Amino acid sequence: MNNDPFIGLIQCVLFVLIGGYIAYFHNARLQAVHIALSIVVLAVVGRKVAVYADLALATALCLIIATGIVVIPFACQFVLSLLGSDADSSDVDPLTGLLNRRGLQRAVVEMGATGHASSKSSYVVAIVDVDSFKSVNDSQGHEEGDLVLRQIADRLRWCGGEKALFARFGGDEFVLVDTIDVGAAPAFEDNLRRHLRIDDRDPVVTTSVGVAITSAEWSSIISDEELTELFRVADASMYRAKAAGGDQVVMWDGKQ
């Protein structure tokens, strides 16, 4: 639209900036439309410069600007994917592959906001602490201690459903957040007892587990306050299990 086609050609650089903006905030379909429109406009303006000014200069500028229009959005997407990968990895415990404390906090916030429990389900939080874990490290070495933690992490995965959240809070403490059918608490407790005890080691590795479960009357979408209370009660129940000698599960179902 500029009276001077050469200046108009230079102004086509703005398409590069717009492409970068679309890469960050919009979808690939809009980006494709933008690139197509930008190339058409660039070709029209470049042709004017070639006819009324300098063919070589017009060609060179068009190639440079077209390269920016095409390359910059892909570069932005690549940077975004790297940032996303870093964010994902920062939420994962490198030893066990479970979520870490930060990752679980994010996932729990999302769970509290969306909810996935039906009217016939209850939310449950289980906090697991390995009994006498320090003695494993001291007597068998840290490599064996790491192996025990990985085994507990694998066994914890057997105790939850498809949408369960599993985390290691650091040290020898693990967390499971899930939903279970109303009335399934005894089966869930038995599952924890069977899987979170490693009998094929010498000495046997046991755990203290505290469980908090919502009553059936709670709503299908759980609030942050309700989840926080479940964590507090599960933690207290875990310490009760440990104080009683360990190797047991202490449950709280909102009725005690």
Side-chain angles (χ1 to χ4, degrees), residues 37-98:
L37 176 62
S38 301
I39 296 299
V40 169
V41 173
L42 184 64
V44 171
V45 179
R47 183 176 182 278
K48 289 182 180 180
V49 175
V51 171
Y52 298 107
D54 188 325
L55 175 60
L57 179 63
T59 302
L61 287 175
C62 284
L63 287 174
I64 292 171
I65 296 172
T67 300
I69 290 172
V70 174
V71 171
I72 292 299
F74 287 101
C76 291
Q77 287 294 334
F78 179 70
V79 171
L80 282 177
S81 66
L82 287 180
L83 292 175
S85 297
D86 288 342
D88 290 341
S89 62
S90 68
D91 288 345
V92 175
D93 173 53
L95 177 64
T96 63
L98 304 182

Side-chain angles (χ1 to χ4, degrees), residues 114-123 178-180 219-222:
T114 59
H116 62 255
S118 69
S119 59
K120 296 183 179 180
S121 298
S122 297
Y123 284 89
D178 199 4
T179 58
I180 61 174
S219 61
S220 60
I221 298 181
I222 192 167

Side-chain angles (χ1 to χ4, degrees), residues 5-253:
F6 178 75
I7 296 177
L9 183 61
I10 298 299
Q11 289 172 337
C12 285
V13 172
L14 289 174
F15 286 127
V16 177
L17 302 179
I18 295 171
Y21 172 82
I22 293 174
Y24 276 106
F25 300 108
H26 296 280
N27 56 42
R29 181 176 297 178
L30 181 60
Q31 187 68 260
V33 172
H34 166 73
I35 290 176
L37 176 62
S38 301
I39 296 299
V40 169
V41 173
L42 184 64
V44 171
V45 179
R47 183 176 182 278
K48 289 182 180 180
V49 175
V51 171
Y52 298 107
D54 188 325
L55 175 60
L57 179 63
T59 302
L61 287 175
C62 284
L63 287 174
I64 292 171
I65 296 172
T67 300
I69 290 172
V70 174
V71 171
I72 292 299
F74 287 101
C76 291
Q77 287 294 334
F78 179 70
V79 171
L80 282 177
S81 66
L82 287 180
L83 292 175
S85 297
D86 288 342
D88 290 341
S89 62
S90 68
D91 288 345
V92 175
D93 173 53
L95 177 64
T96 63
L98 304 182
L99 294 171
N100 56 24
R101 185 184 294 269
R102 176 182 174 183
L104 183 65
Q105 287 173 341
R106 289 185 178 182
V108 163
V109 168
E110 182 178 349
M111 173 183 281
T114 59
H116 62 255
S118 69
S119 59
K120 296 183 179 180
S121 298
S122 297
Y123 284 89
V124 60
V125 173
I127 296 182
V128 181
D129 189 88
V130 181
D131 297 327
S132 303
F133 180 69
K134 185 177 182 301
S135 65
V136 175
N137 278 333
D138 292 343
S139 63
Q140 302 181 38
H142 289 281
E143 289 187 2
E144 282 299 311
D146 290 346
L147 178 60
V148 168
L149 294 178
R150 287 193 291 267
Q151 287 180 310
I152 293 294
D154 291 339
R155 287 166 174 262
L156 186 65
R157 291 187 179 98
W158 301 344
C159 301
E162 294 181 358
K163 297 182 178 180
L165 304 176
F166 308 96
R168 178 190 174 209
F169 266 21
D172 57 343
E173 187 171 280
F174 297 84
V175 177
L176 164 63
V177 182
D178 199 4
T179 58
I180 61 174
D181 292 338
V182 174
F188 180 75
E189 179 181 359
D190 182 64
N191 211 20
L192 293 173
R193 292 184 190 278
R194 286 188 295 107
H195 292 310
L196 297 181
R197 190 176 195 273
I198 307 177
D199 294 314
D200 57 352
R201 292 186 62 90
D202 185 21
V204 172
V205 175
T206 62
T207 58
S208 297
V209 185
V211 180
I213 180 171
T214 59
S215 60
E217 291 77 20
W218 285 35
S219 61
S220 60
I221 298 181
I222 192 167
S223 68
D224 292 343
E225 292 77 13
E226 290 168 337
L227 276 172
T228 300
E229 179 64 11
L230 283 181
F231 272 88
R232 186 193 68 77
V233 173
D235 193 54
S237 298
M238 183 271 290
Y239 279 107
R240 285 173 55 196
K242 188 166 287 291
D247 192 17
Q248 58 184 290
V249 178
V250 174
M251 295 197 66
W252 179 90
D253 61 3

